[in-house]
Amino acid sequence: MQKYEKLEKIGEGTYGTVFKAKNKETHEIVALKRVRLDDDDEGVPSSALREICLLKELRHKNIVRLFDIMISEKKLTLVFEYCDQDLKKYFDSCQGEVDANIVKSLMYQLLRGLAFCHANNVLHRDLKPQNLLINKDGELKLGDFGLARPFGIPVRCYSAEVVTLWYRPPDVLMGAKIYTTSIDMWSAGCIFAELSNGGRPLFPGSDVDDQLRKIYKILGSPSEDTWPGMTTLPEYKDYGFHSPVSLSHVVPKLPSVGRDLLQKLLVFNPSMRMAADVAMNHQYFNDLNPSIKN
């Protein structure tokens, strides 16, 4: 730890405190995530171990880089590349207006980072603005892999206690214990709408019931025809019939081609949600700056 000089506290993560620091030898600015190891704990928290294991494997420009790991008797410190802000703070600085080209750039980078995770059999499971980091060059990076997990390994079921409520898909809200990359694609759709609305969340529910009601009120009511097996989910409830609202009222600043992409992400039936690599090729991104695509 003598190598680093702490500059300021910048936040609290899933399981620790994050500091801005400087490498005394190289003068590089880094982020230190510090995890306290309690005496009665069984060693390192599982979320920290999971994040370390996954980030050692996931090397990509749209995924935050883990540089180093230091451990002592009382604490574990992870050294990450430093990003100036997260998407939540970025929204606060924009005062409700995000330029249409920036919306497109950030969304493309989010999809590219997700496509890489999914190609490497990793579900993030906690996508939200606070976990998307943005550096001074406008590069977006997926951060906080404390709830991420590999998939493809045979398991009986996954936890339903994942993804912050506002970004949690309806199948998981209804108690689905088995899910795929579609869990992240719903969250990406919610973030896309939030980007185009300058930081206003799309479904800000207060609990699971309220969350599902808010989703139904905007997207309309699903049925067994559009989503086979819905009524057999453990927490399924009938919330009455709702007609969908036109997305032109929901995301008025998003052009029709962008609304088409959003509609393909926010699909009740998880098997019909657009995959990240397919979404990157959507015509919404046809006029994206080539330097971002490459």
Side-chain angles (χ1 to χ4, degrees), residues 89 105 123 140 184 186 197 214 273 282:
K89 286 181 184 149
S105 165
L123 305 176
L140 179 142
D184 290 334
W186 177 274
N197 284 336
K214 279 184 163 55
R273 260 171 238 151
H282 190 276

Side-chain angles (χ1 to χ4, degrees), residues 90-98 195-200 253:
Y90 179 76
F91 284 149
D92 295 342
S93 70
C94 289
Q95 299 171 322
E97 286 287 335
V98 182
L195 272 168
S196 66
N197 284 336
R200 199 170 70 252
K253 292 174 189 156

Side-chain angles (χ1 to χ4, degrees), residues 1-268:
M1 279 306 298
Q2 310 307 315
K3 218 162 83 169
Y4 299 99
E5 177 192 346
K6 272 196 288 185
L7 302 175
E8 60 180 300
K9 180 177 166 180
I10 51 178
E12 300 280 337
T14 305
Y15 53 82
T17 313
V18 186
F19 297 93
K20 180 180 180 180
K22 183 168 77 173
N23 183 320
K24 291 177 189 170
E25 295 162 17
T26 64
H27 302 291
E28 183 180 17
I29 300 296
V30 295
L32 303 179
K33 186 184 270 192
R34 181 160 292 177
V35 186
R36 222 163 172 54
L37 306 177
D38 300 325
D39 296 330
D40 56 349
D41 245 4
E42 302 271 320
V44 179
S46 60
S47 55
L49 282 174
R50 195 182 285 140
E51 181 160 45
I52 291 165
C53 294
L54 291 175
L55 286 178
K56 276 171 74 73
E57 300 298 321
L58 296 172
R59 293 289 178 90
H60 188 271
K61 67 186 284 183
N62 295 120
I63 295 172
V64 72
R65 183 82 184 273
L66 175 63
F67 290 137
D68 204 357
I69 304 152
M70 293 169 286
I71 190 159
S72 67
E73 205 175 308
K74 296 286 182 194
K75 57 181 177 281
L76 167 74
T77 305
L78 309 182
V79 184
F80 289 97
E81 68 174 306
Y82 177 74
C83 291
D84 300 73
Q85 58 189 336
D86 60 38
L87 186 57
K88 176 80 173 66
K89 286 181 184 149
Y90 179 76
F91 284 149
D92 295 342
S93 70
C94 289
Q95 299 171 322
E97 286 287 335
V98 182
D99 179 82
N101 289 324
I102 292 175
V103 171
K104 193 170 291 190
S105 165
L106 294 177
M107 187 59 192
Y108 186 82
Q109 293 181 74
L110 166 56
L111 290 170
R112 187 166 54 197
L114 270 183
F116 185 80
C117 288
H118 294 167
N120 285 278
N121 298 326
V122 171
L123 305 176
H124 186 282
R125 303 200 306 175
D126 196 18
L127 289 177
K128 57 184 175 181
Q130 293 91 324
N131 290 343
L132 299 176
L133 308 176
I134 302 173
N135 68 15
K136 62 183 188 304
D137 300 321
E139 291 174 338
L140 179 142
K141 294 168 189 285
L142 276 59
D144 202 334
F145 280 70
L147 284 176
R149 67 157 296 140
F151 66 93
I153 302 160
V155 283
R156 220 171 254 130
C157 62
Y158 295 156
S159 166
E161 297 302 308
V162 290
V163 187
T164 301
L165 186 66
W166 296 356
Y167 307 92
R168 197 180 301 168
D171 45 308
V172 181
L173 288 165
M174 290 183 191
K177 295 289 195 290
I178 297 215
Y179 42 76
T180 64
T181 55
S182 61
I183 189 174
D184 290 334
M185 300 319 297
W186 177 274
S187 307
C190 295
I191 291 163
F192 186 23
E194 197 166 334
L195 272 168
S196 66
N197 284 336
R200 199 170 70 252
L202 184 60
F203 305 122
S206 54
D207 56 35
V208 168
D209 265 358
D210 186 45
Q211 187 67 22
L212 281 164
R213 287 181 199 282
K214 279 184 163 55
I215 293 169
Y216 277 40
K217 276 181 183 165
I218 289 179
L219 300 181
S221 306
S223 68
E224 275 289 332
D225 291 337
T226 57
W227 183 8
M230 169 187 77
T231 54
T232 64
L233 288 169
E235 308 294 329
Y236 168 77
K237 285 183 193 169
D238 185 350
Y239 291 101
F241 179 77
H242 295 274
S243 296
V245 175
S246 167
L247 285 183
S248 60
H249 299 306
V250 178
V251 280
K253 292 174 189 156
L254 203 56
S256 59
V257 67
R259 294 198 297 271
D260 180 74
L261 172 58
L262 180 62
Q263 201 151 28
K264 286 171 175 163
L265 295 170
L266 296 180
V267 179
F268 278 102

